């Protein structure tokens, strides 16, 4: 029961992944990106042309899957997948499926690693409520949109800042207002403000880990 679970939650583009990667390297923990699972599932649903509004069809499809690949692919980060993912992630049976996947992955990993750092939206509030350290990442919407815009341009995608800003707001709305596992600040979470330099963020993280 000494497993170290660290949850890193926050809105779209708040830099959870970079923060989780930093923690993973520094504290030798396995990093699980839960958003990647939601993105991979969305990609499969679209590829197989599953009508996700039809509960039966979706249910049978989810049952036909044994596990989801954790392989990263740039297609999974495209805006079209991002937008669809935030819609598909509101469906209760989808969340149940992904939550089970996460628990299975973590259980397996903990056989060989001392702990895991998991980033997402509902990790500290729902999936791993007993996480030893819970972080919630906060960044102003304008800064998130600017960073996302820059990232898309670097990836060679077309990007219009005002559209990205609108999309981020829409995704925030989907994540915060959904009935099941909305994006909330988990109880006992430490708020990390990632609006400034990464050095500043690291300082806040290391302070949070002092309580270990
Ligand atoms: O990289 P970004 O923060 O934009 O998104 P992500 O973490 O890769 O997650 C993609 C989408 O999956 C989000 O917009 C959420 O709607 C959904 N998601 C979720 O609902 N719950 C999680 N634990 C992780 C992701």
């Amino acid at each position: 029961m000494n497993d170290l679970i660290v949850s890193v939650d926050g809105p779209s583009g708040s830099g959870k992944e970079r923060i989780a990667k930093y923690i993973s390297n520094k504290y030798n923990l396995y990093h699980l990106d839960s958003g990647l699972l939601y993105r991979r599932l969305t990609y499969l649903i679209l590829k197989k042309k599953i009508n996700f509004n039809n509960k039966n069809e979706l249910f049978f499809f989810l049952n036909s899957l044994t596990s989801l690949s954790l392989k990263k692919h740039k297609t999974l980060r495209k805006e079209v997948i991002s937008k669809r993912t935030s819609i598909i992630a509101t469906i209760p049976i989808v969340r149940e499926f992904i939550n089970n996947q996460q628990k299975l992955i973590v259980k397996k990993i903990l056989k060989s690693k001392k702990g895991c750092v998991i980033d997402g939206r509902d990790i500290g509030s729902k999936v791993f409520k007993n996480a030893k350290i819970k972080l919630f990442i906060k960044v102003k919407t304008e800064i998130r949109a600017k960073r996302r815009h820059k990232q898309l341009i670097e990836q060679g995608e077309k990007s219009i800042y005002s559209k990205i800003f609108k999309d981020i707001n829409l995704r925030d709305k989907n994540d915060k207002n959904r009935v099941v596992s909305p994006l909330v600040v988990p109880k006992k979470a430490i708020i990390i403000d990632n609006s400034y330099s990464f050095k500043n963020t690291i300082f806040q993280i290391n302070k949070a880990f002092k309580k270990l």
Side-chain angles (χ1 to χ4, degrees):
M1 283 290 106
N2 290 323
D3 303 330
L4 175 56
I5 303 284
V6 178
S7 64
V8 181
D9 291 302
S12 232
S14 55
K16 300 177 299 289
E17 197 186 351
R18 187 173 180 198
I19 290 173
K21 267 191 193 148
Y22 168 82
I23 295 172
S24 150
N25 285 331
K26 174 141 192 200
Y27 297 94
N28 191 24
L29 306 174
Y30 176 82
H31 171 213
L32 174 62
D33 172 0
S34 65
L36 190 63
L37 294 171
Y38 282 96
R39 286 174 185 271
R40 171 68 63 180
L41 181 63
T42 300
Y43 168 77
L44 291 176
I45 286 174
L46 298 179
K47 191 172 138 204
K48 307 256 181 206
K49 297 192 168 52
I50 305 297
N51 175 6
F52 55 84
N53 291 315
N54 180 326
K55 209 176 163 190
N56 275 338
E57 194 175 325
L58 182 61
F59 180 79
F60 281 111
F61 174 66
L62 292 176
N63 270 329
S64 73
L65 299 171
T66 40
S67 62
L68 282 176
S69 163
L70 281 166
K71 228 170 130 191
K72 290 186 179 172
H73 194 284
K74 63 178 196 288
T75 305
L76 300 180
R77 300 221 58 94
K78 286 197 180 250
E79 274 302 287
V80 50
I81 296 286
S82 302
K83 272 195 211 163
R84 286 295 179 151
T85 304
S86 81
I87 295 166
I88 289 177
T90 62
I91 305 172
I93 55 168
V94 163
R95 301 206 69 84
E96 205 179 306
F97 175 80
I98 302 279
N99 290 353
N100 284 335
Q101 290 285 316
Q102 292 182 70
K103 283 179 182 154
L104 287 173
I105 295 167
V106 167
K107 197 173 163 195
K108 200 170 146 203
I109 292 298
L110 289 179
K111 286 183 184 156
S112 57
K113 278 259 181 194
K114 68 170 180 182
C116 288
V117 49
I118 307 135
D119 69 279
R121 303 287 187 290
D122 58 346
I123 308 303
S125 61
K126 168 89 197 215
V127 193
F128 294 101
K129 275 189 189 157
N130 294 330
K132 202 162 268 170
I133 294 192
K134 299 183 185 187
L135 303 180
F136 188 87
I137 317 302
K138 201 182 82 174
V139 182
K140 283 192 199 91
T141 317
E142 289 79 5
I143 299 179
R144 287 190 281 135
K146 267 186 204 154
R147 287 177 182 168
R148 182 78 188 132
H149 174 63
K150 191 168 166 254
Q151 191 186 39
L152 286 171
I153 301 275
E154 281 165 5
Q155 278 169 212
E157 270 205 70
K158 280 198 192 112
S159 178
I160 300 165
Y161 173 77
S162 56
K163 202 171 163 294
I164 296 297
F165 183 80
K166 224 174 101 198
D167 287 350
I168 282 205
N169 267 321
L170 184 68
R171 283 209 274 151
D172 281 357
K173 215 171 126 203
N174 285 341
D175 288 345
K176 286 180 187 162
N177 296 334
R178 67 178 169 230
V179 180
V180 184
S181 306
L183 172 70
V184 289
V185 179
K187 275 186 201 132
K188 294 192 185 160
I190 298 165
I191 308 239
I192 304 285
D193 188 348
N194 191 26
S195 301
Y196 308 101
S197 68
F198 199 62
K199 203 172 153 198
N200 181 294
T201 300
I202 287 175
F203 177 79
Q204 296 175 62
I205 295 169
N206 290 336
K207 205 167 133 199
F209 271 77
K210 285 222 171 89
K211 78 169 212 178
L212 259 190

